[in-house]
Amino acid sequence: MGPEAVIEVAGLTRRFGSFTAVQQVSFSVRAGEIFGFLGANGAGKSTTIRILCGLLAPSEGHACVAGIDVARDPEAVKRSIGYMSQKFSLYLDLTAEENLEFFGGAYGLGRRALRQRGRELLARVGLRERSAEITGRLPGGMRQRLALAAAMLHRPRILFLDEPTSGVDPRARQSFWALIREAAREGVTVFVTTHAMDEAEFCDRIGLMADGRLRALDTPDGLKRSFLPGEMFHLELSPDRSIDALASQPGVLRIESAGAAYRLRVEAGRFDPEKLRALLGPAAVRVERVEPDLEDVFLEVVTQARGEAVP
Amino acid sequence: MSPAGRSLRRTLALSGKELRHIVRDPRTLYLALGMPVVMLFIFGYAVTFDLDRLPLGVLDADRSPESRELVRAFESSGVFQRAWDLSNAAEEAEGHFHRGRIQGALVISPGFGRELGAGREGQVQFLLDGTDGVTAAIALGYAGAIAKAYQLRLLSRLSLELAPPLDARVRLRYNPEARSTIFIVPGLIALILALMMVLLTSLSVAREWERGSLEQLFATPAKRLQILIGKLLPYVALGMLQVLLVLALGTLLFQVPVRGSLLWLLGTALVFISGCVGQGLLISVLTRNQQLATQVAAITALLPTVLLSGFIFPIENMPWPLQALSTIVPARYFISALRGIMLKGNGPAEIWPQLAALLTFALVMLAAANARFQRRLD
Ligand SMILES: Nc1ncnc2c1ncn2[C@@H]1O[C@H](COP(=O)(O)OP(=O)(O)O)[C@@H](O)[C@H]1O
Ligand SMILES: [Mg+2]
């Protein structure tokens, strides 16, 4: 093990009535890591985050954040974390600066310290020029960066960001991720949920959630290696042609259709583009070797999870 | 920073933010300061419960000195105005009632004076248009009082032993001209506070539940009590502002007296406001939804204050189940204390039962809200 674990979760379970939203989840996050929590809507990501922030009590299991048991002393946890909830929850009728002033006050910062820290953060998230603007008039990307600044006012060691880039355009997403990486470089541990697979590539490690269970946990490359052994090809066929000719070939592991295109996974070293072209004949419009992405991993994981669920 | 300093900063940060919301959304402010003015004008000028020259039809079938004196007594009361002289037909009165020419009719039977002279009962009939129940009830009260005064005057004249004659004029104490504005203003203060304080606080907290900003706030180390006090303080201040506004206007425009101590008045108002704010908070904690909160506030604050507080309908005249229900309506105690302080010059010696009831209400509401206000989402 490298540096100390700042988040340790063991057998975490949360039920709402008879429904189990999070089931027997265990993992740990090291200091300074960017830890991504991936999963479809309803997978249990927000519920897990809320438990870790001391906002929800776990039904079963343990969670330690910054060395503190969240079930036993949620208030102590709140002092060392910053939280950005999934729903934008700063006040739209206050200015950017006033929002920071308010949350700084809620964290108990003194006036002088708060003013200085507020100015510093506004500059850092690129809002210095617009600090006097009413938050409701700021574009979505800026609002999210302001919410991040609010969560960082008290210099927390750990940041919990729940889908911080949902509903934000790609450029604004990039600038948001730049801020996340900057925080991590300074030693802040970032726990971030998303359902955008491309973003997950930026994470040091990823936990994959499906139906309340943690299905996989590794670095992006590790996930690809263990769930997607072999090589991947991207195929495009002319519209009326079928891919059946390939399906029976030895060494073909999986064919996933994506509209008119296919993602083909095969055992390593058994195929190359020329061979595939030859096999498909005139039906092949395009054949190229691709790197597997996390979308592929996610599909594979969910498929395997479904397979297990069916007796 | 010391823990106490930090705690104060948190509370002030919340109050400051809440104040900004109030200032930013002028609708709240218009409502909070405009409604009292509008209501005061409506109740002060338009909806007056004072009877002024109620048109009266008179049928004096006796035409004796005694009957004429009774008619004069009605005329000179200032409450009734002799609008029509009816001939002997009772249907005629009916027609005038229908056309709205008269709202009351005084019918004196023939032989009225003779009967009285002989020491027997004289027959007088008094008819009232009961369509407007409030007016009719007040008019009936006046008519009864006029008749009684007349009777006593007559008695003293007839039986010489009873001299010196009784002075049986009707005199209303504390409110000699029976002006309803004076009576209404304390009720109006209660109504405005009950409505606005409960509604505004319940909305302000429910809004934060809905928008998710409470979740964000719960993730900070701010304590429950700091959040509650910080949020409620500006509304309490707003409520006090409303009290001062209504008092100032009432005094300036309608010469409503404040005979007792202003300090006790404001103190009583503060206790009442705390209860209302606590009630609003409890509603929002339980509903977590603005629309539902509004409905619950209207049902639990507005209705009882209008109907069961003695503001408009006297509690003594209610059937006993409603009387019993009115004992848990805080406005009842507030109005009674306010009327005491303002009109009778009462102080703590007289109003302590009401004050105790209001304090109990405030404590129960705030404690219940505090207990239900979990800093958790489940
Ligand atoms: N307070 C709650 N009461 C009941 N069910 C809930 C509550 N919060 C979440 N859930 C349910 O738990 C499941 C997981 O929700 P959530 O953790 O928000 O998922 P995600 O964030 O991954 O989209 C969902 O099916 C959701 O409906
Ligand atoms: Mg979520």
Side-chain angles (χ1 to χ4, degrees):
Chain A
M1 271 273 154
E4 43 151 354
V6 288
I7 302 174
E8 282 189 282
V9 174
L12 195 67
T13 300
R14 170 68 207 207
R15 283 182 284 270
F16 294 109
S18 60
F19 174 73
T20 307
V22 174
Q23 197 165 4
Q24 291 294 326
V25 167
S26 306
F27 61 88
S28 67
V29 180
R30 292 187 288 271
E33 206 175 9
I34 300 179
F35 187 88
F37 222 39
L38 237 73
N41 270 333
K45 305 182 297 290
S46 296
T47 305
T48 308
I49 276 205
R50 285 173 171 153
I51 294 172
L52 295 180
C53 291
L55 294 168
L56 270 181
S59 307
E60 265 173 45
H62 291 284
C64 272
V65 173
I68 303 152
D69 186 330
V70 294
R72 203 165 301 151
D73 194 359
E75 298 315 306
V77 168
K78 290 173 186 176
R79 277 191 284 274
S80 30
I81 63 158
Y83 171 54
M84 201 177 139
S85 61
Q86 179 172 355
K87 201 163 157 190
F88 180 78
S89 49
L90 302 191
Y91 299 95
L92 294 176
D93 56 337
L94 301 188
T95 67
E97 208 166 16
E98 287 166 348
N99 263 308
L100 291 192
E101 187 186 323
F102 168 66
F103 281 99
Y107 282 115
L109 299 186
R111 192 175 296 276
R112 288 254 309 277
L114 176 55
R115 189 160 313 145
Q116 192 182 337
R117 179 75 175 146
R119 220 174 290 148
E120 177 188 321
L121 280 170
L122 281 171
R124 178 166 171 172
V125 302
L127 278 170
R128 199 172 42 193
E129 268 79 55
R130 310 189 69 164
S131 61
E133 231 169 284
I134 298 289
T135 305
R137 303 210 188 103
L138 295 175
M142 286 197 193
R143 286 190 204 174
Q144 294 303 90
R145 299 208 297 273
L146 179 63
L148 178 67
M152 293 174 70
L153 278 165
H154 55 305
R155 301 179 191 279
R157 291 170 57 197
I158 309 168
L159 273 176
F160 288 95
L161 312 176
D162 197 356
E163 303 208 18
T165 56
S166 68
V168 163
D169 68 74
R171 268 195 43 209
R173 273 212 232 173
Q174 288 206 340
S175 66
F176 196 93
W177 272 91
L179 291 171
I180 292 182
R181 282 194 297 267
E182 186 180 344
R185 269 201 304 279
E186 291 168 0
V188 175
T189 310
V190 182
F191 186 107
V192 55
T193 73
T194 178
H195 54 231
M197 304 299 161
D198 53 335
E199 288 187 346
E201 303 272 2
F202 299 133
C203 300
D204 297 318
R205 280 192 311 146
I206 293 167
L208 264 173
M209 290 285 287
D211 300 328
R213 288 172 185 277
L214 184 64
R215 294 290 179 180
L217 174 67
D218 206 340
T219 61
D221 284 337
L223 282 177
K224 290 171 195 164
R225 268 197 307 276
S226 48
F227 283 92
L228 305 171
E231 293 169 69
M232 297 273 301
F233 289 91
H234 176 86
L235 309 178
E236 279 172 38
L237 305 189
S238 46
D240 49 338
R241 296 312 178 93
S242 122
I243 198 158
D244 294 346
L246 272 186
S248 52
Q249 287 288 322
V252 168
L253 295 172
R254 191 171 194 87
I255 300 172
E256 201 83 54
S257 75
Y262 295 86
R263 287 181 89 82
L264 171 74
R265 189 153 58 79
V266 296
E267 284 170 15
R270 290 187 70 150
F271 295 88
D272 57 28
E274 283 66 46
K275 184 169 175 197
L276 286 172
R277 248 181 240 284
L279 280 167
L280 287 165
V285 175
R286 198 162 152 204
V287 176
E288 60 189 28
R289 195 190 297 272
V290 290
E291 283 302 311
D293 59 26
L294 286 168
E295 188 85 45
D296 302 311
V297 176
F298 186 69
L299 283 172
E300 182 65 29
V301 170
V302 170
T303 314
Q304 285 185 17
R306 295 261 157 73
E308 273 169 39
V310 178
Chain B
M1 204 191 300
S2 69
R6 202 174 295 136
S7 163
L8 189 66
R9 268 208 56 74
R10 290 197 178 119
T11 308
L12 289 183
L14 266 146
S15 292
K17 185 227 38 157
E18 206 62 34
L19 220 49
R20 279 193 175 123
H21 287 320
I22 296 174
V23 174
R24 288 280 144 83
D25 183 5
R27 281 174 305 179
T28 309
L29 220 52
Y30 293 156
L31 200 66
L33 300 180
M35 196 179 79
V37 178
V38 171
M39 282 175 89
L40 195 62
F41 273 78
I42 291 176
F43 279 101
Y45 288 124
V47 186
T48 161
F49 297 142
D50 301 338
L51 295 189
D52 201 17
R53 325 215 131 261
L54 199 77
L56 190 69
V58 175
L59 199 165
D60 182 1
D62 190 40
R63 296 172 194 283
S64 63
E66 286 83 2
S67 71
R68 273 193 286 276
E69 193 179 342
L70 181 62
V71 173
R72 246 193 326 277
F74 268 84
E75 279 179 301
S76 62
S77 68
V79 177
F80 301 101
Q81 182 191 16
R82 187 169 178 173
W84 292 86
D85 275 326
L86 310 170
S87 51
N88 50 10
E91 306 88 64
E92 198 188 338
E94 189 74 19
H96 287 307
F97 270 122
H98 271 300
R99 273 173 222 113
R101 287 189 196 132
I102 59 171
Q103 279 182 282
L106 178 68
V107 181
I108 306 174
S109 323
F112 172 76
R114 190 167 12 103
E115 294 293 310
L116 282 183
R120 288 192 294 270
E121 272 183 15
Q123 291 289 321
V124 180
Q125 212 182 355
F126 188 68
L127 305 170
L128 267 175
D129 179 352
T131 327
D132 173 357
V134 178
T135 306
I138 299 170
L140 192 62
Y142 276 113
I146 293 168
K148 186 156 247 160
Y150 169 81
Q151 199 181 353
L152 285 170
R153 218 161 31 237
L154 215 62
L155 254 167
S156 67
R157 211 179 303 146
L158 287 175
S159 43
L160 296 167
E161 309 92 86
L162 259 170
L166 287 170
D167 179 11
R169 256 173 285 148
V170 185
R171 212 176 117 225
L172 294 172
R173 295 216 47 201
Y174 312 121
N175 185 4
E177 297 142 72
R179 284 191 298 127
S180 63
T181 335
I182 286 186
F183 201 57
I184 285 293
V185 163
L188 206 55
I189 292 178
L191 179 64
I192 289 166
L193 288 181
L195 179 61
M196 297 292 292
M197 290 296 102
V198 175
L199 195 64
L200 286 182
T201 42
S202 65
L203 281 180
S204 98
V205 183
R207 194 183 304 130
E208 294 217 26
W209 275 116
E210 275 181 22
R211 300 212 178 134
S213 42
L214 268 188
E215 174 171 351
Q216 196 69 56
L217 198 52
F218 290 167
T220 73
K223 299 257 181 323
R224 180 167 65 179
L225 219 52
Q226 293 161 351
I227 295 177
L228 289 184
I229 295 176
K231 262 198 95 64
L232 298 187
L233 226 46
Y235 291 100
V236 173
L238 193 62
M240 291 307 278
L241 205 61
Q242 291 183 313
V243 175
L244 290 173
L245 182 69
V246 176
L247 274 181
L249 287 178
T251 317
L252 290 176
L253 299 178
F254 303 105
Q255 289 78 45
V256 175
V258 180
R259 299 200 173 98
S261 138
L262 185 64
L263 223 56
W264 276 99
L265 195 163
L266 294 180
T268 311
L270 188 63
V271 178
F272 181 65
I273 290 173
S274 307
C276 292
V277 157
Q279 185 183 347
L281 189 65
L282 183 62
I283 291 172
S284 67
V285 167
L286 294 178
T287 61
R288 296 185 182 189
N289 168 304
Q290 291 189 76
Q291 205 180 351
L292 198 58
T294 310
Q295 289 165 1
V296 176
I299 290 169
T300 62
L302 180 61
L303 282 187
T305 305
V306 171
L307 300 177
L308 294 176
S309 67
F311 170 36
I312 296 176
F313 310 108
I315 293 168
E316 311 85 70
N317 298 351
M318 294 174 187
W320 72 264
L322 289 186
Q323 285 202 23
L325 199 60
S326 81
T327 57
I328 56 162
V329 176
R332 171 192 171 151
Y333 303 101
F334 184 52
I335 291 177
S336 146
L338 275 191
R339 282 177 179 160
I341 296 173
M342 292 171 69
L343 307 185
K344 296 187 200 161
N346 283 353
E350 294 89 8
I351 61 162
W352 69 264
Q354 284 90 343
L355 208 51
L358 289 176
L359 262 174
T360 312
F361 176 73
L363 288 179
V364 168
M365 283 298 141
L366 289 170
N370 186 45
R372 295 301 304 241
F373 190 76
Q374 299 291 325
R375 283 178 63 237
R376 294 226 166 187
L377 303 169
D378 44 345

